[in-house]
Structure formats: C-alpha cells, structure tokens
Amino acid sequence: TCSSNNSAQMNVVPVTSISINPPVSVCYPSNVALQASAPGAMGYQWMGPSGYTANVANPTMYVPTATATGIYTVTSLFNNGILTCANTNTTSVTVNPVMTFTLPSFTRVCYNTGLNIAGPAGATSYTWTSSNGFTSNSQNLSIPGIQPNQTGTYTLSLNLGPCITKAATQVDVLTAMQLTLAPNSRQICDGDSVHMVLGSTGGSQNYAYQWNPAVFIGSPTGSIATGVPHGTTIYQVTGYDIACPQFSITHSFTVQVNQPPKPELVLDKASGCQPLCLFFDAKTKQNAAITTYDFGGIYKMQGDSFRYCLNEPGVYNLKISTKGKNGCYGEFKYEYPITVFPKPGSDFVWDPETPSTTNNQVTFYPSHKYGPVVSHAWMFQGAAGNSTYDTSSVNNPFRLYENVGKYPVMLVSTTDKGCIDTVFKILDIRDEMAVYIPNTFTPNGDGLNDIFNVKGIGLIAEGFIMEIFDRWGTMIYSTKDILKGWDGTGPKGVAVKNDVYVYKIKIIGANGEGRKEYIGHVNVLK
C-alpha cells in the first residue's frame, strides 16, 4: 500500500477541424473562390492540380481553364510553444468547358419563304426564342413560309453540360411588293405617244420592271415608259423585288388607238393637159370633221368632195389630211402622182417686123415654152389677095401680102402629150414711111428753093414739130404745121445771115410707126 507520486508538464496543441467549401463546379470563364476556416489556425496552405498553390484562407482562381479541374487540399497550421501541429481537408473543383458560337447579326428574308439559320453542332441541348413568341428546341432555326409578323430578334441558348451559351440575330421579313400607282386603260390617236408610270411599295424598296410588248415601248425596263402603239394594244407590266426575284406583281391595261378617217380617193385619171380638172371625193364625210387636200405650195382645198382644176403644169404629190370626229388627225399620201402636162406656151413672130406694101413677104417663126411640139397648124387670111383662109403645117411658113390692111394669123401647136395651144395675132401691113430733109436752101426771094421744109410719104400732120437753132443753141424758129417751112427769117421777121443752123424735127408716120426725131444741119445761102 505504499505509494509514490511524481508529476510532469504536458503541452497539448489544440488542433481544430477545417471547414471548407463544398465541391465547386463552374463554367469557363467563371472565377473559382476557395474557402477554408479553422479556429486557432495560424496559417493556410492550398495545393491543387497543375501545381496550384495559395497561402491564404480564401484564394480566388481567375478564369480557370479545364486543367484546373481536380482535388484541392488545404492545410491549417496550429502552434503552442515550440510545437506546431497541422490539419488538412479537401474539396473538388470542376471547370466545365463552354461552346463558343456566333450567329449572323442581321438576316433578311422574303415573305412566305423559308428561314434557315444553322446552330453549332455538339451541344447538349438547344433553345430558340424570339421577341414575337417563337420557341424551338432544334439545333437549327427553320421556319417555312415565314411571314412579316415574324420579324424580330431570335436568340439561341445552348447547353454544353451545365454551361449555357447565347447568341442572337435580327430577322427582317420583307413584306409583299404592292403597286401604289399603275396606268389605267385609255384612248389615244394613232401616232400619239402614251406616258406610263408605275409606283410600288413594300419589300426591299429596290425594284425592277418589265414592260410588254416591248416592240411598242422606247425602253422596256424601268418604272417610267413611253409607248407609241399603232393599234389597240394590251400592255402588261411585271414588277420584281430585286431582293425577292421569285415573287412578282403584274398589272395589265389597254391602250385603245383610234384611227383618223382614211380617205378612199379614186381619180378618173392621174395625168392630163393643163388645166387638168378632176373630181375629188375622199369619202370621209361621215367620220371627218375637216378634210384638207394639199397639192403642194399654196394649192390647198378643204372639203370632202369637189371639182378642182390644176392650172399650172407639173407633178403634184397630193396629200390628204383628215381630222376625225374622234379628235384624231392623220395625213395620207395619194398613191399616184398627179401629172399636169403643159400646153406648148406658144408664140410666134414674123420677119420683117414691120411689113409694108414694099416689104411684103412675111416669114413666120414659132416659139414654145414647153415641148416637144410635134405639130403646127397655121391659118392665114388675106395673103396674096386671098380673102378666104389658107393653112400650112410647116414650121416656118411665109406669105406675100399685096395690100395695106390688118390680117389675122392663127397658130395651133400640139405637144407629144396631146396638149394644144392656140395663138391668134393681127398682122398689120402698112405703107412705107420715107422722109426727105434738105441740107441747104437759098431764101433770096427768087422763087427757087426759098423754103426749108420736110417732104416724104407716109407722114401725118398730127404731132409734127420743127425747131431751128443757131450755132449758140438759141432757138430762132419753130412750127407745128407740117405744110409750113422755114423761110430763113429769125425773131421779129429779120432774115438770118448765111450760116449753118441746127434743126430738130419730130414726125409721126401715117402707118402708126412711133414718133421719130431727126437732128441735123442746114446751110443758109443767099
């Protein structure tokens, strides 16, 4: 029962358990926060995959990659005097990869066509949503027969394991192209142009047009066209949205082309001698308000039917213009030229120009403005004492006229076209006019050559004038009496001295010859 006691000092280091965060699972590129807590611990040391270390209680891993996945161990240190004790705990970290993808930022589609946008392959699940209430769990966005009310923002959310990635696209569904302005059916006159304008709205606002039939249109494309149809035409224009060429809109309209009244002129003949008189009947009276005949130049006539003479020779290209009761104007060319053949335009002269009873063989010379002249028919009266008519067909006939008088001569000429011209003239056979004026007289009272006077045949007293001038130009004597001569006296009846004097004598012939004037010198010798 003996006992013995002794004591010793024992230091016990308190070591508490470490509280650590539960296993962590994140999606790249999310950060990972590690947490550890142990009461009384004087320090912490973390260790993990790929050589990861940290010496704080709550370290943060920024943008860890998949290589950071694994077990992470934390060690806590406890101290009491010279003794240091440790405790450990572990947790797991999982860094899940994500699927990176993009969608087109803007997609434009035509209405009633299919929308197809491909999603990336390999995801665990897919979810499509839109601002207009559309949802789908397919990988690809596919909407057949999409309509304008399905325009909006489409978002794809896809899962790769627990990780979700999103991308969005804006989808614009074009509306149907519509016409806002279109040509109406109308009436025009033949030869007029028709202006056609087309307007559209909707779709992409970028349009193309095709007009038919193109043969009657200046340019068959474009929203504005000008047509010149020559008959009633049904036009059709098709509009295309360039962004949606598979769709089109078509408009049809009719242009009725009214015709002016067409003349139905038929002439009895298209040629003849001047004046060519014809009956013109265009037969437009029922439909035409005005019918005008244009023969060229100033030769115009208005009326449907009338008789008209073309007096001037030439070729007339007749044009007939009509203005219909429908307001349409037309011009038509008569199919045949109208030819007016000229008359010969004949004339004739004779030689001698002034025949007389002493120069009485007269030759006749015809002339013609137009030809060729193929025949001449002459008619004479009074030639060679013949009181009746005689004829000739030679080109230059001659006749002998024995008696003073006026004799008719007629020429009828005919061209190769049968055109006849008649010329009628009077041939005047006159007495011969002869004048004798002496150059000297002797006014000495001996009864011989005392008077200076004019003598001759074929003279008349009417219109006679005789004037006497001295060498200085002073008139010293004048008379209008053909029977009274100059007796050699000057003013106041005084006899002039011997000298040379100037006479001026005017005489009219009895045969109708014009007034003749004679100027000369007369010597006064006593």
Side-chain angles (χ1 to χ4, degrees), residues 160-301:
L160 184 60
C163 298
I164 300 174
T165 307
K166 294 184 179 181
T169 182
Q170 178 67 34
V171 175
D172 182 21
V173 182
L174 298 177
T175 59
M177 178 182 177
Q178 296 180 345
L179 294 178
T180 59
L181 180 64
N184 296 322
S185 295
R186 67 195 72 180
Q187 295 186 28
I188 63 171
C189 294
D190 187 18
D192 292 345
S193 60
V194 55
H195 192 60
M196 301 172 287
V197 180
L198 203 68
S200 303
T201 188
S204 67
Q205 305 293 320
N206 192 8
Y207 311 120
Y209 301 95
Q210 182 68 44
W211 298 83
N212 286 297
V215 68
F216 295 131
I217 297 180
S219 175
T221 60
S223 60
I224 300 176
T226 300
V228 188
H230 295 290
T232 297
T233 303
I234 298 176
Y235 282 98
Q236 178 176 287
V237 57
T238 302
Y240 301 91
D241 188 332
I242 293 178
C244 303
Q246 67 272 36
F247 297 106
S248 63
I249 187 168
T250 300
H251 173 73
S252 298
F253 60 98
T254 300
V255 176
Q256 180 178 327
V257 179
N258 295 324
Q259 301 294 331
K262 185 176 182 180
E264 299 178 2
L265 176 65
V266 178
L267 297 177
D268 293 337
K269 57 183 179 179
S271 63
C273 298
Q274 72 176 124
L276 178 60
C277 297
L278 300 170
F279 181 70
F280 298 86
D281 186 1
K283 299 181 178 63
T284 59
K285 189 177 299 182
Q286 298 299 321
N287 300 315
I290 300 175
T291 301
T292 303
Y293 290 75
D294 185 353
F295 296 92
I298 62 174
Y299 303 104
K300 293 184 179 181
M301 290 289 292

Side-chain angles (χ1 to χ4, degrees), residues 121-136:
T124 307
S125 64
Y126 301 86
T127 301
W128 287 92
T129 59
S130 76
S131 57
N132 54 49
F134 173 85
T135 61
S136 173

